[in-house]
Amino acid sequence: MGLPLIGETLEFFARSPSLDLLPFFKRRMERYGPIFKTNLVGKDLIVSLDPDVNHYVLQQEEKAFHIWFPDSFMKLLGEENIARCYGSLHKNTRNLIRRVFGPENLRLVLLHDMQGAVERCLSSWHDRPSIELKPALSSMIFGIAAKWMIGYEASVLSGDLWKNFDVFNQGLLSFPLNIPGTAFYKCMQGRNNVMKTLKEVLDERRKKAETPDRMDFIDVIVSELNKQNPALSENLALNVLFLLIFASFETTSSGLTAALKFLSDNPKALKELEVINESLRLANVAPVLFRKATQDVQIKGYTIPEGWIVMICPPAVHLNPTTYEEPSSFNPWRWKDLTEPIGGSKDFIAFGSGLRLCVGVDFARLQMSVFLHFLVTKYRLKVISGGDMVFGPGLGFPNGFQVQLETKK
């Protein structure tokens, strides 16, 4: 269980340049097997690297298990947030999100906006000697997401919002020490600044009487809050809005940057572009998932006691050699004979699974597909410098990833 108070936290946060399973998990699996106990940041946990156990736990959402996050992370999500929504409240909140980001609206409305934004962005990159890829992709996707979250205000507020979201992101995986000067403290300040801005936008929109022709998510929230018995409170709505904006650009930009890194190293794959699932499998932008047992659970000879936290490790699923041959190798052709894992499966949980399957999965896939389509049909990608990836709780590019675009003749 590690040292007093800090447990095995320091080793858990250590980063690795290898695409293989993180040493923290690999060493313990070799010693204890795929299910073991540990202590991280003072919390006792059960770690599952077993695909069958992971699948069972995720499918038992709101039955034998509930979603759970560390206290420090819950502070970042807000007192009322979607992680604390269960039953009808969770279902109603997801339905509100789908009104803007569901498949139908993506096809009829957002696809056109995505195409325009990607083409404009790539055209502007073409004039530059080099582009720092990850922040450039984050900024592009942020602009698209913010427009459909807070509408016309996005063009006026996006600079300040982007700055504060970036501060929030920098401290998201830092040690949770909330005192001035620490990364976590700055992260909290960034969140508070964003929430203040979102509250101002919501208050301003509620003053308007007319109903717009094209509703963004703020309009959906206003419409719901104006009902006699709204499905969610204003605080929950604002926290959902905050999380949606952040998740929409951060995870997708990480996945896209990883995809372009893999493609730059494997030019043959550019001819077929069966890359999105393979990039997400190796990048593992959601490195851990947490669930809390609401009752004693018996599975595969183990007992998970009521109240204990289970930490699910998606990389252990995605790098399982019994499922994926040479799992640490980038091989997009491995997906050709496999059924598309829509909704998550036992062997592919890049977007989660069960009731908590990522509500933005269609948005993320479409954004990645549109960007890759316009990039490879109109431009050549030339790597200038960087591109090294490190894995830990999260994906990082320690020396950046500078690229240059050349127009195809």
Side-chain angles (χ1 to χ4, degrees):
M1 304 295 281
L3 299 171
L5 297 180
I6 64 171
E8 298 184 304
T9 305
L10 298 180
E11 190 176 354
F12 174 73
F13 276 101
R15 306 196 115 186
S16 168
S18 172
L19 287 173
D20 202 356
L21 187 63
L22 285 174
F24 175 87
F25 296 111
K26 191 172 185 178
R27 283 196 287 265
R28 284 156 181 77
M29 182 163 66
E30 290 171 351
R31 184 174 181 182
Y32 305 116
I35 301 176
F36 56 88
K37 293 188 295 185
T38 188
N39 182 289
L40 301 177
V41 198
K43 185 70 178 178
D44 290 343
L45 302 168
I46 295 169
V47 179
S48 171
L49 309 180
D50 185 292
D52 294 323
V53 174
N54 294 343
H55 185 69
Y56 176 81
V57 170
L58 292 174
Q59 296 302 313
Q60 288 292 308
E61 180 72 40
E62 297 193 11
K63 298 174 184 175
F65 294 90
H66 275 167
I67 191 170
W68 181 89
F69 289 107
D71 290 342
S72 59
F73 199 79
M74 292 300 276
K75 290 180 181 177
L76 298 174
L77 297 182
E79 188 64 29
E80 292 182 78
N81 61 69
I82 197 167
R84 287 188 166 135
C85 294
Y86 303 106
S88 60
L89 178 57
H90 178 236
K91 182 179 179 180
N92 289 337
T93 303
R94 289 175 67 93
N95 287 338
L96 291 175
I97 297 170
R98 287 196 185 99
R99 288 176 60 181
V100 176
F101 295 99
E104 188 71 5
N105 209 43
L106 285 173
R107 181 177 64 84
L108 295 176
V109 182
L110 270 71
L111 177 59
H112 180 267
D113 275 3
M114 281 186 184
Q115 291 173 337
V118 167
E119 289 189 285
R120 289 191 299 272
C121 188
L122 289 172
S123 178
S124 70
W125 292 2
H126 175 251
D127 296 330
R128 304 181 195 178
S130 68
I131 295 292
E132 185 59 64
L133 192 58
K134 172 62 166 58
L137 286 171
S138 293
S139 180
M140 177 194 74
I141 299 170
F142 174 82
I144 297 170
K147 176 181 179 181
W148 283 98
M149 296 290 182
I150 59 176
Y152 69 91
E153 292 93 342
S155 60
V156 177
L157 299 171
S158 60
D160 288 337
L161 272 180
W162 171 248
K163 178 181 176 182
N164 285 300
F165 267 116
D166 189 50
V167 170
F168 172 81
N169 185 43
Q170 295 302 318
L172 185 60
L173 295 176
S174 60
F175 197 82
L177 194 60
N178 193 22
I179 60 175
T182 64
F184 187 81
Y185 178 84
K186 294 175 183 177
C187 177
M188 287 294 296
Q189 294 299 108
R191 172 193 151 74
N192 292 339
N193 290 336
V194 171
M195 292 301 293
K196 180 181 177 182
T197 300
L198 295 180
K199 177 67 165 65
E200 291 171 354
V201 173
L202 179 59
D203 289 345
E204 185 65 27
R205 192 71 66 88
R206 294 187 79 172
K207 295 176 183 176
K208 298 185 177 181
E210 71 272 12
T211 302
D213 295 329
R214 290 171 53 170
M215 295 182 71
D216 55 43
F217 192 59
I218 282 274
D219 292 319
V220 172
I221 290 173
V222 169
S223 176
E224 184 63 32
L225 293 178
N226 286 341
K227 293 180 179 179
Q228 187 172 358
N229 295 302
L232 71 172
S233 68
E234 181 177 292
N235 282 339
L236 174 58
L238 288 171
N239 284 323
V240 168
L241 181 60
F242 171 88
L243 186 59
L244 283 177
I245 296 176
F246 175 71
S248 64
F249 75 83
E250 176 53 29
T251 55
T252 308
S253 63
S254 292
L256 257 180
T257 305
L260 293 172
K261 164 60 179 173
F262 294 136
L263 286 173
S264 69
D265 293 339
N266 299 269
K268 183 182 176 183
L270 281 171
K271 296 179 181 179
E272 304 204 32
L273 273 186
E274 299 283 338
V275 301
I276 291 180
N277 286 341
E278 183 70 350
S279 299
L280 293 171
R281 182 185 72 83
L282 286 173
N284 287 299
V285 293
V288 292
L289 305 170
F290 295 100
R291 294 296 185 269
K292 183 176 182 178
T294 58
Q295 62 190 52
D296 288 352
V297 176
Q298 308 290 333
I299 182 169
K300 298 189 78 169
Y302 294 92
T303 298
I304 301 175
E306 180 181 354
W308 271 70
I309 307 304
V310 178
M311 183 169 74
I312 293 169
C313 177
V317 173
H318 299 151
L319 298 172
N320 186 346
T322 62
T323 305
Y324 301 102
E325 185 178 353
E326 297 184 6
S328 298
S329 299
F330 178 74
N331 176 17
W333 296 277
R334 72 172 81 241
W335 296 94
K336 283 198 167 219
D337 299 323
L338 297 178
T339 304
E340 177 74 9
I342 297 173
S345 70
K346 184 179 75 171
D347 299 314
F348 187 78
I349 52 175
F351 295 99
S353 185
L355 291 179
R356 296 281 175 170
L357 177 74
C358 175
V359 72
V361 58
D362 295 314
F363 175 86
R365 285 186 181 278
L366 183 63
Q367 180 66 75
M368 294 180 74
S369 299
V370 168
F371 181 86
L372 289 170
H373 168 76
F374 282 105
L375 174 68
V376 302
T377 55
K378 294 187 177 183
Y379 300 93
R380 291 186 181 88
L381 189 73
K382 179 181 178 182
V383 177
I384 302 300
S385 64
D388 296 333
M389 295 188 289
V390 292
F391 300 86
L395 169 64
F397 295 83
N399 57 350
F401 190 23
Q402 295 273 339
V403 301
Q404 184 183 69
L405 295 189
E406 299 175 346
T407 306
K408 284 188 174 180
K409 303 293 185 181

